[in-house]
Amino acid sequence: MEKSRTEHSVRNTTAAMVSKIVAILMGFATRVVFTHCLSESYVGVNGLFSDVLNVLALSELGVGTAITYALYKPIAEGDHERQKSLMKMYCRFYRIVAGIVLTGGLAVIPFMDVLIRHQPEVDHLILIYLMYLANSVLSYLLIYKKTLIDAHQLSYIGEIYQMIFLLIQDTLQIILLLVTHNFILFLVIYILCTLGNNISISRKADRLYPYLKEKDVKPLDPAERKGIFKNIRAMLMHKIGDVVVNNTDNLMLSSIVGIISVGCYSNYYLVIGSIHQLVSQVFRGITASVGNLGVTEDSGRVRRIFESSFFVGQWMYGFAVICLYELLNPFVEISFGVQYVFPMEVVLVLCLNFFVTGMRQAALVFRDSLGLFWFDRYKSLAGALLNLGISIVLARQFGTVGVFGGTLISTLLTSFWVEPWILYRHSLKTGAASYFLRYGFYTAVVAGAGFVTDLLCLRAEGGVWRILGIRLLICIIVPNLIFLLCYFRTKEFRFLWKKFMDLTEKWKGRDDGK
């Protein structure tokens, strides 16, 4: 029986959530062992090199997003020939990208002294960097076939493979760190598991779609090629902007504040980034279904699904940001040590960045799935320039908090309003005023819930473990209760509740029919 978009979304989202929970737990365990077995300098180098290679990854040009969007229509129509043509183009692009990343990565080596303000006490620094570079290059080989699986609304398959290899990787890395304290062996496991994951997914795609191995691949129609390259040019601008905004904080911290601050931020980023990735799996799970929705349904239907997705996102990110603000510092103190704890003003700005970024996710998924990359292409470049300028000025004046404050301000001046405006104008065919009214209402509710939660959490007394436990209990109950009281009469809540009940009845019917 053919599954509905809702069923595909639920299955993909569930697999993604389980995979991400495993990744968070294992990643946290690995990080704790890492910080206790190696020095703060290694922690800082790990964060810095990861960001350097994320900057180099902009050479991917957004090809994956553009090709995925181009696949939705031929998949809906069952057109294997166009799928083959698109995937052959994708393969060629990724081989070129791997070469560009390798060349660019090698070109960074002479400037290592500029990137690292104070040379850390780390042996074999260049070798370590080359191993990070090798892992980045290998990540582009073979993995492109995963895009076809995802576009068929089967992203849960890739999540399962990723979870398996992540379990293997983290388990072996923890054992090696505890036994040898050797960072080089730690990276060897990292590289081997990346390669193993890519090969496994590639073979699975070949089994699912045997036409990928056919040699008679027709060239794409010139008009379609032109459209894809247009989207790639737009996605390049988005890529540059996103990389500058999201992956230069460690570079600025290293060059302006010092490498030790990078180590502190890396621990916070591990927690905040893990929570963001976990919550964003909900949107990742519906991406292909939204693409299918865009080519088969009218704008009214798309708008209703978007508004429901935005509602779900604000609830999840609202709850998450309250938890992060209350729990981050005691959690970091217990896990990594008091020397890694940031002042509360830094935590506040980090949490605000998390919330603003999270509230964008619904608009971003719909923009990418509906192919609207071209219309807001300059927004990312403007945001990148503003972020660099504001962050540098504020960092010199206020230090660490200034770096993150610049990111927040640049996002509010650009992405915050441009992305929904483009979506409403070019796809939903109506004004975006209703979106911003909802945004204001949702933000007020989250702020109110956060204020009440904070008042209660401040009453928690005792040791750090006791404080963490009491605050966790308060954070789980209070915000969600306030959200439920505020939202249970809204049309978005009623729509989603009806969807949930319909899906439950459908599953019950299948079980009864067995």
Side-chain angles (χ1 to χ4, degrees):
M1 182 183 294
E2 183 69 23
K3 294 185 181 294
S4 66
R5 281 190 297 266
T6 300
E7 290 177 290
H8 279 302
S9 296
V10 170
R11 181 174 60 178
N12 291 334
T13 299
T14 301
M17 292 285 281
V18 172
S19 174
K20 192 53 61 180
I21 288 171
V22 171
I24 289 172
L25 294 176
M26 293 300 297
F28 170 71
T30 305
R31 185 68 173 198
V32 170
V33 174
F34 188 100
T35 54
H36 285 86
C37 290
L38 299 172
S39 69
E40 294 177 21
S41 295
Y42 280 99
V43 179
V45 164
N46 177 61
L48 177 62
F49 287 169
S50 296
D51 267 7
V52 169
L53 293 168
N54 281 333
V55 170
L56 289 173
L58 65 84
S59 59
E60 192 265 347
L61 308 176
V63 173
T65 304
I67 295 291
T68 302
Y69 170 68
L71 282 167
Y72 290 139
K73 188 173 182 181
I75 286 174
E77 295 173 348
D79 188 343
H80 289 179
E81 292 302 320
R82 282 179 63 199
Q83 292 177 50
K84 285 161 52 180
S85 300
L86 286 166
M87 292 306 293
K88 185 174 182 180
M89 173 189 281
Y90 197 12
C91 176
R92 289 173 178 169
F93 266 123
Y94 260 32
R95 287 176 180 172
I96 293 171
V97 167
I100 293 173
V101 171
L102 178 59
T103 304
L106 293 174
V108 168
I109 294 176
F111 303 97
M112 201 66 72
D113 291 341
V114 178
L115 291 175
I116 303 177
R117 185 180 182 184
H118 304 294
Q119 284 295 321
E121 296 179 3
V122 174
D123 296 329
H124 312 297
L125 189 63
I126 300 300
L127 173 60
I128 289 170
Y129 173 74
L130 288 173
M131 295 181 76
Y132 274 100
L133 178 61
N135 187 76
S136 183
V137 172
L138 288 173
S139 69
Y140 290 105
L141 303 178
L142 303 176
I143 196 64
Y144 71 93
K145 293 182 183 180
K146 180 178 180 294
T147 299
L148 187 62
I149 298 176
D150 292 349
H152 275 87
Q153 304 183 64
L154 301 175
S155 62
Y156 75 94
I157 294 174
E159 296 292 345
I160 291 172
Y161 277 106
Q162 185 175 6
M163 180 173 62
I164 292 170
F165 278 95
L166 192 64
L167 282 168
I168 296 171
Q169 172 187 306
D170 288 341
T171 301
L172 291 177
Q173 285 180 329
I174 288 171
I175 293 171
L176 281 171
L177 283 175
L178 290 172
V179 174
T180 69
H181 290 219
N182 190 307
F183 191 47
I184 301 296
L185 292 178
F186 177 91
L187 293 177
V188 169
I189 297 300
Y190 186 35
I191 294 170
L192 291 177
C193 287
T194 296
L195 188 59
N197 181 51
N198 291 359
I199 292 173
S200 299
I201 291 177
S202 177
R203 289 179 175 176
K204 180 65 176 180
D206 288 338
R207 291 195 296 271
L208 286 173
Y209 314 111
Y211 52 85
L212 286 177
K213 294 185 285 187
E214 295 175 3
K215 303 298 182 182
D216 56 331
V217 181
K218 299 177 181 178
L220 284 172
D221 178 81
E224 185 170 9
R225 285 176 62 90
K226 183 178 179 181
I228 290 173
F229 278 103
K230 177 182 176 181
N231 284 335
I232 289 173
R233 290 199 302 274
M235 286 307 300
L236 171 60
M237 297 183 188
H238 289 296
K239 259 292 197 183
I240 293 173
D242 290 344
V243 165
V244 171
V245 171
N246 298 320
N247 296 109
T248 55
D249 287 344
N250 274 336
L251 302 181
M252 279 188 278
L253 285 172
S254 176
S255 59
I256 297 174
V257 184
I259 193 68
I260 300 301
S261 66
V262 178
C264 294
Y265 174 53
S266 295
N267 292 329
Y268 278 81
Y269 184 76
L270 171 69
V271 180
I272 295 174
S274 295
I275 299 301
H276 173 66
Q277 290 176 29
L278 176 62
V279 179
S280 67
Q281 296 311 308
V282 174
F283 296 102
R284 183 177 177 182
I286 69 171
T287 298
S289 297
V290 172
N292 180 268
L293 181 75
V295 298
T296 59
E297 302 285 355
D298 59 51
S299 59
R301 173 72 172 171
V302 175
R303 179 183 177 185
R304 185 165 67 164
I305 299 300
F306 167 72
E307 290 174 349
S308 298
S309 300
F310 183 49
F311 172 77
V312 171
Q314 66 81 30
W315 188 313
M316 293 189 302
Y317 278 99
F319 168 63
V321 75
I322 292 171
C323 292
L324 285 171
Y325 182 75
E326 300 297 340
L327 304 176
L328 257 177
N329 273 3
F331 183 80
V332 169
E333 182 179 345
I334 290 171
S335 304
F336 307 111
V338 69
Q339 71 272 24
Y340 287 103
V341 173
F342 274 141
M344 283 307 296
E345 60 267 21
V346 177
V347 176
L348 176 61
V349 177
L350 288 173
C351 288
L352 289 174
N353 270 324
F354 170 85
F355 181 71
V356 171
T357 300
M359 291 287 275
R360 295 170 52 205
Q361 295 309 300
L364 285 174
V365 165
F366 275 72
R367 182 202 70 184
D368 292 351
S369 299
L370 300 175
L372 304 176
F373 335 107
W374 183 256
F375 300 106
D376 64 344
R377 61 195 182 279
Y378 296 118
K379 171 268 302 179
S380 295
L381 297 180
L385 292 173
L386 284 170
N387 179 68
L388 279 176
I390 296 171
S391 292
I392 290 173
V393 171
L394 293 181
R396 294 188 183 281
Q397 185 70 29
F398 302 106
T400 301
V401 72
V403 174
F404 306 129
T407 302
L408 176 63
I409 293 170
S410 65
T411 301
L412 291 174
L413 291 175
T414 53
S415 302
F416 162 73
W417 66 272
V418 174
E419 290 161 355
W421 180 69
I422 291 295
L423 176 64
Y424 272 81
R425 180 179 180 183
H426 293 282
S427 181
L428 306 185
K429 308 299 182 183
T430 186
S434 61
Y435 169 88
F436 291 109
L437 288 173
R438 282 186 176 85
Y439 197 113
F441 173 61
Y442 293 154
T443 302
V445 172
V446 171
F451 179 75
V452 174
T453 304
D454 188 52
L455 287 178
L456 295 172
C457 285
L458 288 175
R459 295 177 177 271
E461 297 178 348
V464 65
W465 276 101
R466 178 180 170 80
I467 290 174
L468 181 65
I470 294 173
R471 288 188 176 188
L472 177 60
L473 185 62
I474 293 171
C475 288
I476 290 173
I477 296 172
V478 175
N480 287 307
L481 183 59
I482 293 174
F483 291 165
L484 184 61
L485 291 173
C486 292
Y487 297 141
F488 79 99
R489 292 185 181 276
T490 62
K491 64 179 182 180
E492 290 83 10
F493 184 87
R494 294 198 302 268
F495 173 76
L496 290 166
W497 182 254
K498 184 178 184 303
K499 277 282 185 184
F500 173 75
M501 295 305 296
D502 290 345
L503 197 60
T504 301
E505 289 298 321
K506 192 171 185 178
W507 284 339
K508 284 183 179 179
R510 286 182 178 176
D511 291 340
D512 293 342
K514 288 184 179 179

